[in-house]
């Protein structure tokens, strides 16, 4: 039976046993409605994410286009775009966390798969649903903004002038590392049990991570850190420019997610386990 351990006379924490790793192949999932409900949730969440965020990008581009009567100082600005991405992630993770885990990003799904939090079957189906949702979300934007969609780049991620592929790839790797590292930290059940006196609403730090990364990397790549977001925009935009460096927006996020998963699972969690073991073996 788990027992509370008093800390400093004010707070308590609980013993915690890590849940078993998810099976690599879990055929039983395919027979459960909850599995398909989770896939639908990922599809809809990614659709809404791309619809709101890409529409914000297109609207900002039009509002600041002086050739069309816009104002260079008008619109929401880069800060507003970053808030749109971070805010939507906060909202959608909050809404879907209890159904699908609120991944909304193939890189997040890949990182959680490497950490054995989800099975291979679930990971593949999530990534497919996310990419399809992104395509549909961008399709809705194009439908509503036919006059501006193509002329303002369709919200597609591209490597901006003045930056080489190495810089763009590095920005995507580090940006996704920050995001996935935050996901692992905010959703770590062992941490929640140990630090139960520190209430954390997981979607909030995840949304803030997306917001901060966008502030840093919008000038470099437009900020991908989500292969589905980049893929959906490139498919609907349909111009060669969006595909020239598209590999960056898959390789970078997947590499960043993999590094974050390894760092959290084998460095931070291993260190935490040793500390707990040392604490329990200490006598006074």
């Amino acid at each position: 039976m788990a027992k509370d351990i008093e800390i400093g006379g004010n707070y308590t924490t609980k013993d915690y046993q890590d849940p078993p790793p998810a099976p690599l192949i879990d055929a039983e999932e395919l027979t459960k409605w909850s599995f398909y409900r989770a896939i639908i949730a990922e599809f809809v969440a990614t659709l809404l994410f791309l619809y709101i965020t890409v529409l914000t990008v297109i609207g900002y581009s039009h509002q600041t286009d002086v050739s069309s009567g816009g104002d260079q100082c008008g619109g929401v600005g880069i800060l507003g775009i970053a808030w749109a991405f971070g805010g939507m992630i906060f909202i959608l993770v909050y809404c879907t966390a209890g159904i699908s885990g609120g991944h909304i990003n193939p890189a997040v799904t890949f990182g959680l798969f490497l950490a054995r939090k989800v099975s291979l079957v679930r990971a593949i189906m999530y990534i497919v649903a996310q990419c399809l949702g992104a395509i549909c979300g961008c399709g809705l934007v194009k439908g509503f903004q036919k006059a501006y969609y193509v002329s303002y780049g369709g919200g597609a991620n591209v490597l901006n002038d003045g930056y080489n592929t190495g810089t763009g790839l590095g920005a995507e790797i580090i940006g996704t590392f920050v995001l996935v590292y935050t996901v692992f930290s905010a959703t770590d059940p062992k941490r929640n049990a140990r630090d139960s006196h520190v209430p954390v609403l997981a979607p909030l730090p995840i949304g803030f991570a997306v917001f901060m990364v966008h502030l840093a990397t919008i000038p470099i790549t437009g900020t991908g850190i989500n292969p589905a977001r980049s893929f959906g925009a490139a498919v609907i935009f349909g111009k060669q420019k969006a595909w020239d460096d598209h590999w960056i927006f898959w390789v970078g996020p997947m590499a960043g997610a993999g590094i974050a998963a390894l760092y959290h699972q084998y460095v931070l969690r291993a260190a935490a386990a040793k500390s707990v073991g040392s604490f329990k073996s200490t006598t006074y």
Side-chain angles (χ1 to χ4, degrees):
M1 181 182 296
K3 296 182 180 179
D4 289 351
I5 302 172
E6 187 174 357
I7 302 177
N10 296 319
Y11 305 112
T12 60
T13 186
K14 297 179 180 179
D15 289 336
Y16 175 77
Q17 294 292 331
D18 275 324
L24 183 62
I25 305 294
D26 188 1
E28 187 179 349
E29 283 188 314
L30 299 174
T31 66
K32 297 180 179 179
W33 163 241
S34 60
F35 174 67
Y36 297 99
R37 183 180 62 182
I39 293 171
I40 294 170
E42 286 293 308
F43 170 83
V44 173
T46 313
L47 183 154
L48 295 174
F49 176 60
L50 268 293
Y51 171 72
I52 294 298
T53 54
V54 173
L55 200 58
T56 301
V57 171
I58 299 297
Y60 167 69
S61 298
H62 175 62
Q63 289 171 325
T64 56
D65 184 0
V66 293
S67 64
S68 297
D71 181 359
Q72 285 186 332
C73 297
V76 296
I78 290 179
L79 182 63
I81 292 173
W83 272 120
F85 279 88
M88 279 304 293
I89 287 296
F90 168 71
I91 292 168
L92 294 170
V93 172
Y94 179 83
C95 291
T96 60
I99 301 171
S100 66
H103 297 192
I104 322 172
N105 185 335
V108 171
T109 299
F110 179 65
L112 292 173
F113 165 70
L114 291 180
R116 300 295 300 277
K117 304 296 184 183
V118 296
S119 70
L120 178 61
V121 173
R122 184 175 291 263
I124 291 173
M125 294 303 294
Y126 273 19
I127 291 173
V128 171
Q130 291 156 0
C131 289
L132 291 176
I135 292 171
C136 292
C138 291
L140 286 176
V141 175
K142 187 174 182 178
F144 284 117
Q145 293 281 15
K146 287 183 179 178
Y148 308 124
Y149 186 84
V150 174
S151 60
Y152 293 125
N157 289 121
V158 296
L159 187 62
N160 291 322
D161 295 338
Y163 297 97
N164 58 38
T165 54
T167 301
L169 182 62
E172 289 295 308
I173 291 173
I174 296 172
T176 311
F177 175 88
V178 171
L179 169 59
V180 178
Y181 174 37
T182 304
V183 170
F184 274 105
S185 297
T187 60
D188 187 349
K190 187 170 186 177
R191 174 185 174 182
N192 292 338
R194 185 188 65 218
D195 301 332
S196 57
H197 60 284
V198 183
V200 176
L201 181 62
L204 185 59
I206 295 171
F208 263 107
V210 172
F211 167 69
M212 297 303 296
V213 171
H214 273 76
L215 286 181
T217 59
I218 282 177
I220 304 173
T221 61
T223 309
I225 68 171
N226 183 334
R229 175 261 185 274
S230 302
F231 180 70
V235 168
I236 299 300
F237 181 51
K239 303 296 183 181
Q240 184 60 41
K241 183 179 181 181
W243 296 106
D244 287 341
D245 299 300
H246 186 71
W247 64 272
I248 290 175
F249 303 103
W250 281 91
V251 174
M254 292 305 190
I259 295 169
L262 294 173
Y263 175 62
H264 184 268
Q265 292 296 105
Y266 297 104
V267 178
L268 298 187
R269 289 299 298 273
K274 292 177 182 178
S275 297
V276 171
S278 176
F279 171 78
K280 289 183 177 180
S281 65
T282 302
T283 57
Y284 296 92

